[in-house]
Amino acid sequence: MAEVHEWWQKGIIYQVYPRSYLDSNGDGVGDLTGVISRLDYLKWLGVDAVWLSPIYPSPMADFGYDVSDYCDVHPLFGSLADFDRLVAEAHRRDLRVVLDFVPNHTADQHAWFQESRSSCDNPKRDWYIWRDPAPGGGPPNNWLSNFGGPAWTFDPATGQYYYHAFLNKQPDLNWRNPVLRHAMHDVLRFWMDRGVDGFRVDVIWHIGKDDQFRDNPRNPHYQPGQNPHHELVSTYEADHPDIHSIIREMRQVLDAYPSRMMVGEIYLPVHKLVTYYGDGGPTGVHMPFNFQLITMPWNAAAVCAAVKQYEESLPEYGWPNWVLGNHDNARLASRIGAAQARVAAMLLLTLRGTPTMYYGEEIGMTNVPIPPDRVQDPFEKNVPGIGLGRDPERTPMQWDSSPNGGFAPEGVTPWLPLAADYERVNVVAQREDPRSMLSLYRRLIDLRRAEPALSIGRFEPLECHDDVLIFVRFDENRRLMVALNFSSTPRTIDLASLVRAPARRILLSTHLDRASDAVTSATISLRPDEGLILQL
Ligand code: GLC
């Protein structure tokens, strides 16, 4: 019997940063009604699931990643009724809805933390991480916040410190407490009962910390001027082995519902990353996000080595996945340039494993410079001037050439500035241009949907040298070769030495100008920054 693949294996995930997608009510911030009005666009683009960054009530110290109520919607984004409408409208179009679940920390305004900090014997005291000062005074250990400064804040009311891996307005929850775990499981059920198809789980590798709270070692390679969090090696603050039993319980909660999925945000080396699929069986997250294409240098040799290592490291029950961008990292086109961004799009949509796209990638949006008086990101505010801020990749979606780019009504000031090039780089303009980035994404997605060899087929690395990466995707009916030129000069591929049967036809070029060309010679040339999909 043929293997059955779930929607999250066959499909493409598209991340929406709701603040920046579409502002339907003219307050400068995107909202759920805005997202609903673009579901037809997402369907047209061809993606399968929409992941929404947090939409919960929040003081917005970290733009929603500081949740003050896990079971409601922030009025800025709409209401629970709007959310229900979003789910119904998405499902009507056969689109899935994935929510951001933020289990590591809450906002300091969350009722749980208010209770927890009220006294040492409050029943919720142990829902968070409280410690006495170190014997000589000062914080309990040397751990640092990911957003700069110490990770412990003293609370004079009770004379103890609380731990926060991020802002001091984001106290960490204590997942070793079973009552807290059950409360969080109920949150998952609350949203699944409303029809949510899955969760992207925020910093999931952080929920397990050292139970002895040992000091982190110093990083001998640290240079002044770098991210201050990297002064120490994060040996003890995350990825504790206990984490896997905590995730197993979450997985059981999801498995009680049909076809639900969780994908975990995890920045760890591959050998550790793959342990999050579960030990000895699929008991972990369905997919630990694989961020290698974001974190490694962009060249054919590095990508080739990473793909091979990843493929070889996956457990037999581990479904792969690839990510090119998100709301925490510089825009792809700014990292590797507009020409290579097209090669990257072909790579993402032809590799084996679920692709996750970030809104705006499909039109080649770039980082937007943010004037100092418009900075929003707390990371930039805490550690200014060294390029850590994330506002540049969170700017409003560029829909058309009207004032505010179709993101918000004319006259409104969007929460972050629009890109200067929005009149040219936008969905409407690119829809009409058959060679645009948007046209390329559509063609790639179309092909991936039409060819099971690409979506669920097998992977065979062929060759990587001289800036070219070549691999084959195949199933019992089809063999497709992908050849990517990572350089800005032409390359020639010797087909005869690579494959027994010669290529028959070009299915797609990143330049969108030579599909259906028959291949008659034993060699094929790749133009600068060109990727090709060939049918063998
Ligand atoms: C994750 C989110 C990031 C957030 C952080 C703290 O890394 O992706 O945006 O700031 O968690 O919640």
Side-chain angles (χ1 to χ4, degrees):
M1 210 179 79
E3 207 185 330
V4 178
H5 287 89
E6 289 282 358
W7 62 270
W8 50 269
Q9 297 177 302
K10 290 182 289 198
I12 298 166
I13 302 174
Y14 181 101
Q15 178 187 0
V16 165
Y17 195 70
R19 295 184 71 89
S20 301
Y21 209 53
L22 199 131
D23 169 17
S24 74
N25 62 355
D27 60 3
V29 175
D31 45 55
L32 294 183
T33 302
V35 177
I36 295 170
S37 72
R38 287 300 183 262
L39 292 174
D40 284 336
Y41 164 74
L42 293 170
K43 192 67 196 167
W44 169 85
L45 182 60
V47 299
D48 299 85
V50 187
W51 148 32
L52 299 172
S53 282
I55 54 165
Y56 314 104
S58 161
M60 295 285 169
D62 189 21
F63 296 104
Y65 286 97
D66 48 325
V67 179
S68 53
D69 180 352
Y70 285 110
C71 297
D72 205 347
V73 170
H74 195 301
L76 202 55
F77 297 125
S79 61
L80 271 176
D82 294 326
F83 181 76
D84 290 342
R85 199 156 52 87
L86 190 154
V87 171
E89 290 293 327
H91 286 173
R92 206 160 64 73
R93 292 167 176 81
D94 205 21
L95 290 166
R96 314 281 170 150
V97 177
V98 174
L99 276 192
D100 219 305
F101 179 54
V102 188
N104 181 66
H105 44 265
T106 67
D108 60 351
Q109 301 303 311
H110 196 295
W112 296 347
F113 188 67
Q114 298 293 319
E115 283 182 55
S116 182
R117 83 188 313 176
S118 67
S119 78
C120 287
D121 52 16
N122 184 279
K124 292 206 173 59
R125 184 68 170 181
D126 186 51
W127 284 30
Y128 292 83
I129 298 172
W130 292 96
R131 286 285 174 285
D132 286 332
N141 69 17
N142 71 350
W143 297 0
L144 296 171
S145 157
N146 280 270
F147 287 156
W152 296 93
T153 291
F154 185 67
D155 200 31
T158 52
Q160 284 194 313
Y161 282 84
Y162 65 89
Y163 174 68
H164 48 90
F166 296 89
L167 301 173
N168 63 3
K169 294 185 166 137
Q170 293 171 293
D172 276 43
L173 287 162
N174 175 19
W175 277 80
R176 288 207 165 82
N177 182 313
V179 190
L180 175 272
R181 290 206 297 276
H182 287 138
M184 292 301 268
H185 296 160
D186 283 344
V187 171
L188 294 171
R189 292 189 189 100
F190 173 87
W191 291 107
M192 289 192 288
D193 288 340
R194 294 195 105 89
V196 162
D197 300 285
F199 301 95
R200 173 267 189 188
V201 189
D202 189 62
V203 293
I204 194 170
W205 87 111
H206 268 271
I207 61 180
K209 316 163 208 308
D210 185 38
D211 47 359
Q212 298 162 54
F213 291 88
R214 281 167 282 190
D215 274 355
N216 275 326
R218 303 228 142 256
N219 172 6
H221 308 294
Y222 181 74
Q223 303 280 331
Q226 293 176 337
N227 182 345
H229 184 250
H230 297 166
E231 232 178 297
L232 303 179
V233 185
S234 302
T235 311
Y236 294 116
E237 72 192 42
D239 190 38
H240 186 277
D242 286 357
I243 210 164
H244 299 291
S245 59
I246 298 174
I247 298 175
R248 187 178 310 133
E249 286 181 358
M250 278 191 211
R251 173 71 180 249
Q252 284 162 359
V253 175
L254 265 76
D255 284 349
Y257 292 72
S259 291
R260 300 307 204 270
M261 178 281 305
M262 59 177 168
V263 53
E265 185 204 17
I266 303 164
Y267 288 89
L268 284 176
V270 167
H271 70 278
K272 289 196 169 175
L273 186 71
V274 296
T275 65
Y276 283 75
Y277 282 106
D279 188 14
T283 56
V285 292
H286 298 78
M287 296 185 286
F289 262 143
N290 169 17
F291 294 127
Q292 291 179 92
L293 296 178
I294 296 179
T295 52
M296 72 187 171
W298 190 257
N299 64 67
V303 172
C304 178
V307 174
K308 277 192 195 164
Q309 188 213 2
Y310 182 60
E311 280 281 345
E312 283 160 12
S313 310
L314 289 168
E316 150 249 320
Y317 47 83
W319 184 258
N321 77 92
W322 296 93
V323 187
L324 284 179
N326 60 32
H327 64 295
D328 294 325
N329 289 283
R331 286 268 179 196
L332 174 71
S334 295
R335 285 200 321 267
I336 65 174
Q340 279 296 310
R342 297 176 77 104
V343 173
M346 182 171 276
L347 177 69
L348 177 75
L349 290 157
T350 56
L351 277 173
R352 190 175 84 91
T354 305
T356 299
M357 304 171 46
Y358 182 48
Y359 86 93
E361 232 159 51
E362 73 273 28
I363 53 171
M365 275 174 67
T366 48
N367 276 6
V368 176
I370 308 294
D373 62 334
R374 297 212 49 193
V375 168
Q376 301 275 357
D377 185 12
F379 197 8
E380 178 66 30
K381 289 181 177 168
N382 283 357
V383 190
I386 58 168
L388 297 175
R390 301 164 296 173
D391 294 330
E393 63 262 21
R394 296 176 176 180
T395 60
M397 179 67 177
Q398 297 155 210
W399 294 106
D400 59 38
S401 60
S402 70
N404 280 333
F407 163 72
E410 190 176 350
V412 166
T413 305
W415 79 289
L416 281 173
L418 261 108
D421 62 3
Y422 82 85
E423 288 181 32
R424 197 171 41 82
V425 180
N426 63 60
V427 170
V428 167
Q430 293 201 10
R431 250 179 129 136
E432 283 155 19
D433 172 0
R435 305 258 168 94
S436 67
M437 186 66 147
L438 186 58
S439 296
L440 174 62
Y441 264 95
R442 265 210 88 203
R443 296 285 300 279
L444 283 165
I445 293 173
D446 250 15
L447 197 61
R448 192 177 173 96
R449 297 187 81 87
E451 296 282 358
L454 287 178
S455 56
I456 52 174
R458 295 169 60 191
F459 170 85
E460 181 187 325
L462 271 193
E463 192 177 79
C464 169
H465 89 263
D466 200 18
D467 302 318
V468 174
L469 168 63
I470 303 175
F471 57 87
V472 171
R473 298 296 314 281
F474 65 101
D475 64 8
E476 52 286 358
N477 306 312
R478 286 286 240 194
R479 284 181 75 79
L480 304 176
M481 180 199 264
V482 181
L484 305 170
N485 182 358
F486 281 67
S487 84
S488 54
T489 49
R491 292 289 185 273
T492 301
I493 319 171
D494 178 5
L495 284 172
S497 72
L498 286 175
V499 280
R500 263 173 289 125
R504 285 190 286 156
R505 200 156 68 86
I506 295 177
L507 293 183
L508 194 61
S509 157
T510 48
H511 294 17
L512 294 174
D513 57 356
R514 54 166 161 164
S516 299
D517 284 9
V519 179
T520 44
S521 75
T523 60
I524 189 162
S525 55
L526 288 172
R527 289 168 290 172
D529 306 297
E530 184 176 31
L532 289 179
I533 304 176
L534 303 155
Q535 186 190 327
L536 300 181

